[in-house]
Amino acid sequence: MSNKALISARDLSSGYGKKQILSDVNLDVNANEIVALLGANGCGKTTLIKTLCKIIPGSGEVLIKGEDASSWSARKFAQNCSLVPQKSGISIDITVLDVVLMGFNPFLYLLGRPTRNMLAEAEKLLDLFGIADRKYDSFQTLSEGQKQLVIIARALVTDTSVVFMDEPESSLDFSVRYDMMNTLREQIVGKDKCALVSLHDVNLALNFCDKLLLIKDGKISSVIDVHSEDRSSMEQKLQSIYGSVRLMPVMDEAGKESLIMVKA
């Protein structure tokens, strides 16, 4: 099982027009890791994901799977990386199944149709997220949470090495967001893939991610290794972003300990 960096950024800076948002960001996301981006609104989480995905320009170096991604075509990038954006951007009348199958577009030739295996993979993901019974319904008839699950399924269906997700939990109910993150771990960890996920819910990050990148004023202010760092150190770093907070251990029915962040 590989531990190599699948995403690397060095001295990455970007923004919108003359307004700089990110400044000299350095990060690595290794194979078999889910890494969370945490920070206050407007700190640069979405800008960082958009820059890494070549949606907005930036300066510095971005390596994907050890290669300079700046030289890649949009098609090659999409063959190696999947993205869950904040908004789907889908406004046409299209079936749920066809939305998921859109994930295969970078692998098809012009006017090419999805194969039987592609169809099976799409249906498998919809079943994992509990919406297989809506596969022939119009995407527009779904709730916002169901739409979000479909977009996540679209990102995971092609088995790309790298997955970017921008606030994937934003429209999901409490229990569904935990199921979603658990499914993400099953799809990433142990399969030489990685995910970089922008999250608002710190407790999701603490319990499903391997590292937390804390962003403040357009820079990565600190990094938390969830598996090896002691609770006191983690609290101090989180307090620099969220103020007076504490980490409390809780035990589930199986006796597994988890951490939750609460106001002190």
Side-chain angles (χ1 to χ4, degrees):
M1 190 159 42
S2 175
N3 250 342
K4 65 182 180 181
L6 296 181
I7 307 171
S8 293
R10 295 292 178 266
D11 303 320
L12 190 65
S13 299
S14 69
Y16 304 92
K18 295 182 179 180
K19 183 175 178 59
Q20 182 167 300
I21 304 296
L22 300 177
S23 178
D24 300 321
V25 170
N26 296 283
L27 63 84
D28 290 299
V29 182
N30 295 325
N32 304 300
E33 282 186 340
I34 299 177
V35 175
L37 300 174
L38 298 176
N41 289 334
C43 70
K45 299 188 299 294
T46 294
T47 301
L48 177 53
I49 287 179
K50 286 183 175 181
T51 307
L52 292 169
C53 290
K54 301 171 58 173
I55 296 171
I56 60 174
S59 61
E61 181 181 60
V62 176
L63 300 179
I64 303 293
K65 299 167 66 175
E67 296 184 31
D68 182 0
S70 66
S71 63
W72 286 5
S73 66
R75 180 182 176 89
K76 182 174 180 180
F77 192 92
Q79 288 174 341
N80 288 275
C81 305
S82 299
L83 170 66
V84 176
Q86 282 191 21
K87 296 182 179 179
S88 72
I90 298 174
S91 57
I92 60 174
D93 190 19
I94 183 173
T95 70
V96 168
L97 181 59
D98 283 335
V99 171
V100 180
L101 288 170
M102 287 168 61
F104 290 110
N105 286 350
F107 301 90
L108 296 173
Y109 293 105
L110 184 65
L111 302 181
R113 296 181 61 82
T115 65
R116 187 173 299 176
N117 286 341
M118 291 175 178
L119 181 62
E121 286 299 314
E123 292 179 332
K124 175 183 174 182
L125 262 297
L126 287 173
D127 187 52
L128 277 175
F129 287 122
I131 45 178
D133 60 329
R134 303 292 303 272
K135 64 182 179 181
Y136 296 125
D137 292 350
S138 169
F139 180 76
Q140 305 304 334
T141 66
L142 302 184
S143 69
E144 290 306 308
Q146 289 171 324
K147 287 180 180 179
Q148 188 75 338
L149 290 175
V150 173
I151 299 303
I152 294 169
R154 182 183 68 180
L156 297 178
V157 74
T158 54
D159 204 31
T160 56
S161 299
V162 176
V163 178
F164 295 98
M165 305 178 104
D166 193 4
E167 300 180 10
E169 89 280 30
S170 59
S171 299
L172 303 181
D173 294 337
F174 176 81
S175 62
V176 176
R177 60 179 58 180
Y178 277 76
D179 291 340
M180 178 271 294
M181 289 298 292
N182 190 58
T183 298
L184 179 63
R185 285 202 68 84
E186 292 174 350
Q187 296 293 312
I188 296 292
V189 178
K191 299 184 178 180
D192 284 344
K193 301 193 289 184
C194 76
L196 182 64
V197 187
S198 166
L199 292 170
H200 275 303
D201 189 332
V202 179
N203 292 327
L204 273 186
L206 286 167
N207 291 290
F208 288 97
C209 297
D210 302 289
K211 292 178 183 174
L212 316 181
L213 306 184
L214 306 186
I215 301 181
K216 187 174 184 179
D217 300 326
K219 296 178 180 289
I220 295 178
S221 60
S222 56
V223 179
I224 292 175
D225 189 319
V226 175
H227 303 302
S228 64
E229 203 157 336
D230 65 79
R231 196 191 314 168
S232 175
S233 173
M234 294 167 67
E235 281 182 345
Q236 289 180 7
K237 292 176 180 179
L238 290 167
Q239 286 167 1
S240 69
I241 301 292
Y242 299 105
S244 182
V245 296
R246 297 287 305 276
L247 293 179
M248 305 293 294
V250 295
M251 202 81 70
D252 66 16
E253 292 179 349
K256 180 184 176 182
E257 185 179 283
S258 302
L259 288 176
I260 59 170
M261 187 179 80
V262 297
K263 272 290 186 182

